[in-house]
Amino acid sequence: MNNQQKPYDNIPGTTVFDGDMARIGFHLNQFCMSLMQESNRVAFKQNERAYLDQWPMTEAQKTAVLERNFSQLIALGGNIYYLVKISSTDGLSVAAAVSTMTDLSVDEYIDMMRRGGRSPEGNRFTDQGENKPSEESLWQK
Amino acid sequence: MAKITSGLGTSHIPLLGYLMDKGESHLEKWAPIFKGYEFTKKWIREQKPDVVILVYNDHATTFDMKLIPTFAIGCGESYRPADEGYGARPVPLVKGAPKLAWHVAESVILQGFDLTIVNEMTVDHGLTVPLSMVFGEVEEWPCQVIPLAVNTVVYPAPTGERCLALGKAIRAAVEQFPDDLTVQVWGTGGMSHQLLGERAGLINREWDLAFMDDLKNDYEKLAKISQVEYIRESGTEGSEMVMWLIMRGALNHEVQEVHRHYHVPVSNTALGHLIYENASQESEEEKAL
Ligand SMILES: [Fe+2]
């Protein structure tokens, strides 16, 4: 699927964790996985840089981990179920980590969820206008 | 002979297990969530299944990026609740049903489903939260469990059509098993949610409710929903809904919906839950005539 248009490229604000992402994010995600063990969490917290240097990750991935830049981590192949292992090591909720990828503060995000979440209206296609790509929906439409 | 009598669908949101483990599930502010399972707790005591085939997905807990089975069936004697980074949930050991599980594995593989067989693994909230929501706080789970883990973390999850067909194959397998066992199939996960990107927090109530409506009779139509459509309409994590189709495929064509519950939000997610009972065996046979 390299360099090809993918059918989910036109979903706004969304990165699908497919083979291309899994490939570039392999070591990043396996690093996250290591944080499932208490001894590794302690070692990571003691010296984050030194701990990260044990993993064959790219410099950009390491920097994004140190900065807790979740949008960047997603772009660099991180998968959210793996990345939340970093935020839970920090003692943060999933909502706290997830909200940083939106244009909302944590409180605004939680408030949006209380009010029923983000509406799909206007959030289905990057181009909602007349060039809206035709996709055959086999259900409902 | 073993028989599948009923099935249920339920979200497996981690917060639900967390609240139960902290002893906070009775608090008034969570009542809109937990009230919807009161019927279920009574119902399961009457149904007394011997075995539950529990369809769920692992969330980077037991399976990591080294090994990503699309469908994996647990044939082990027991499964420990996993430590997902905060210590394991204080819930009972999950007892397996290895004899039936091996029978199902052999049968569905010969029917064309190339399952991965797992003899030893821990199980995460995807499996233990549904057990807690249905059975409540118990000393021991009152049934055996066959875990059926489906990959929904790495794109693509299996298609709805394949999931529905797997459910049908599981039903055929169970019905050939000689022991007298009452078996249920549970489909878990969903409903709409997205945990990443600028679109995080997406909830599509209309979609979720239509899915629950159509699951009863128009499930063949639901099975045609593409992975891309799940993601677009119900969020990146909404594709977990294919697991409900395995449950549906394992039931008779004629089912009765005896319970339904829907609530938004539970943390980042729309909570959905429903129960189907197989219509009587006779009416099914009549249909075949
Ligand atoms: Fe899940």
Side-chain angles (χ1 to χ4, degrees):
Chain A
M1 292 290 277
N2 273 333
N3 305 321
Q4 257 181 298
Q5 176 85 19
K6 296 172 181 175
Y8 37 83
D9 282 346
N10 60 5
I11 305 176
T14 300
T15 304
V16 174
F17 188 69
D18 61 9
D20 284 336
M21 300 313 287
R23 188 168 46 77
I24 63 172
F26 178 72
H27 294 294
L28 166 62
N29 290 317
Q30 292 302 83
F31 145 74
C32 293
M33 198 69 195
S34 75
L35 300 177
M36 293 283 274
Q37 281 180 29
E38 174 65 16
S39 55
N40 290 338
R41 289 195 287 269
V42 171
F44 174 62
K45 288 304 251 181
Q46 261 164 11
N47 188 337
E48 296 195 0
R49 179 76 220 191
Y51 188 84
L52 286 167
D53 283 339
Q54 297 169 13
W55 296 85
M57 292 158 57
T58 66
E59 194 53 37
Q61 287 171 332
K62 291 178 190 177
T63 305
V65 172
L66 293 170
E67 292 173 353
R68 305 296 193 265
N69 185 339
F70 286 95
S71 297
Q72 182 69 359
L73 287 166
I74 292 281
L76 297 174
N79 172 279
I80 190 61
Y81 290 117
Y82 290 80
L83 297 178
V84 293
K85 299 178 196 310
I86 304 173
S87 52
S88 47
T89 299
D90 292 336
L92 292 175
S93 70
V94 171
V98 168
S99 63
T100 65
M101 292 181 263
T102 68
D103 55 4
L104 303 172
S105 69
V106 188
D107 289 340
E108 288 166 342
Y109 175 84
I110 290 170
D111 191 54
M112 173 184 77
M113 295 316 298
R114 278 205 197 102
R115 286 184 284 106
R118 186 185 302 278
S119 166
E121 296 312 321
N123 282 315
R124 291 183 172 94
F125 292 92
T126 43
D127 183 352
Q128 294 278 339
E130 56 196 80
N131 295 327
K132 178 174 152 175
S134 67
E135 177 184 81
E136 238 186 285
S137 174
L138 292 151
W139 182 50
Q140 281 193 321
K141 312 270 152 71
Chain B
M1 300 296 274
K3 204 167 132 188
I4 295 175
T5 55
S6 50
L8 63 81
T10 180
S11 302
H12 55 221
I13 307 163
L15 179 72
L16 303 172
Y18 176 84
L19 293 173
M20 289 186 75
D21 299 345
K22 291 270 166 190
E24 290 176 13
S25 60
H26 63 281
L27 296 182
E28 197 48 41
K29 67 168 173 173
W30 306 119
I33 298 172
F34 286 93
K35 277 227 159 68
Y37 286 84
E38 279 172 13
F39 173 89
T40 311
K41 291 191 173 75
K42 270 181 259 158
W43 174 82
I44 200 75
R45 279 197 291 271
E46 289 157 18
Q47 295 286 316
K48 295 194 193 68
D50 299 299
V51 181
V52 168
I53 299 175
L54 205 160
V55 185
Y56 75 110
N57 67 291
D58 179 81
H59 305 77
T61 306
T62 299
F63 302 117
D64 61 17
M65 292 306 295
K66 282 183 203 154
L67 188 66
I68 305 157
T70 294
F71 294 115
I73 186 168
C75 294
E77 294 284 343
S78 64
Y79 310 92
R80 271 184 306 105
D83 179 351
E84 297 178 54
Y86 319 89
R89 291 193 60 212
V91 292
L93 185 76
V94 177
K95 287 166 292 181
K99 192 176 161 203
L100 176 60
W102 273 107
H103 167 83
V104 170
E106 290 171 2
S107 168
V108 304
I109 289 169
L110 294 175
Q111 291 179 66
F113 290 87
D114 310 317
L115 299 192
T116 297
I117 291 165
V118 183
N119 283 311
E120 212 175 85
M121 64 174 171
T122 55
V123 287
D124 76 3
H125 67 267
L127 185 130
T128 63
V129 165
L131 289 174
S132 293
M133 295 307 284
V134 173
F135 291 114
E137 281 151 47
V138 289
E139 291 288 307
E140 242 182 85
W141 301 121
C143 66
Q144 298 177 330
V145 176
I146 298 177
L148 182 67
V150 179
N151 165 47
T152 60
V153 171
V154 182
Y155 177 91
T159 64
E161 279 175 325
R162 193 72 176 146
C163 287
L164 189 67
L166 175 59
K168 290 177 183 174
I170 288 171
R171 173 182 164 178
V174 169
E175 286 174 352
Q176 287 157 9
F177 191 67
D179 298 3
D180 276 324
L181 293 173
T182 298
V183 179
Q184 291 188 355
V185 180
W186 298 3
T188 75
M191 298 188 84
S192 55
H193 63 306
Q194 174 154 336
L195 299 177
L196 63 89
E198 287 152 35
R199 207 174 72 133
L202 187 99
I203 298 282
N204 193 339
R205 172 185 283 267
E206 265 177 60
W207 165 276
D208 290 340
L209 294 176
F211 190 99
M212 289 207 275
D213 287 342
D214 284 347
L215 191 61
K216 182 166 181 269
N217 296 320
D218 292 331
Y219 51 87
E220 300 281 358
K221 205 166 71 174
L222 290 185
K224 293 198 169 72
I225 298 172
S226 69
Q227 287 300 313
V228 177
E229 193 176 350
Y230 276 112
I231 296 167
R232 195 184 305 284
E233 293 290 337
S234 68
T236 42
E237 278 64 60
S239 51
E240 289 186 356
M241 290 309 296
V242 292
M243 295 186 288
W244 291 40
L245 287 167
I246 298 178
M247 174 274 284
R248 186 63 191 89
L251 299 178
N252 291 359
H253 176 67
E254 303 279 351
V255 292
Q256 278 164 342
E257 182 179 323
V258 297
H259 182 59
R260 188 193 284 207
H261 176 43
Y262 184 78
H263 180 76
V264 175
V266 180
S267 51
N268 304 282
T269 307
L271 170 96
H273 170 42
L274 51 71
I275 301 178
Y276 291 140
E277 289 180 4
N278 271 341
S280 74
Q281 212 58 43
E282 282 143 309
S283 64
E284 193 71 5
E285 277 155 22
E286 275 164 35
K287 225 182 149 287
L289 287 176

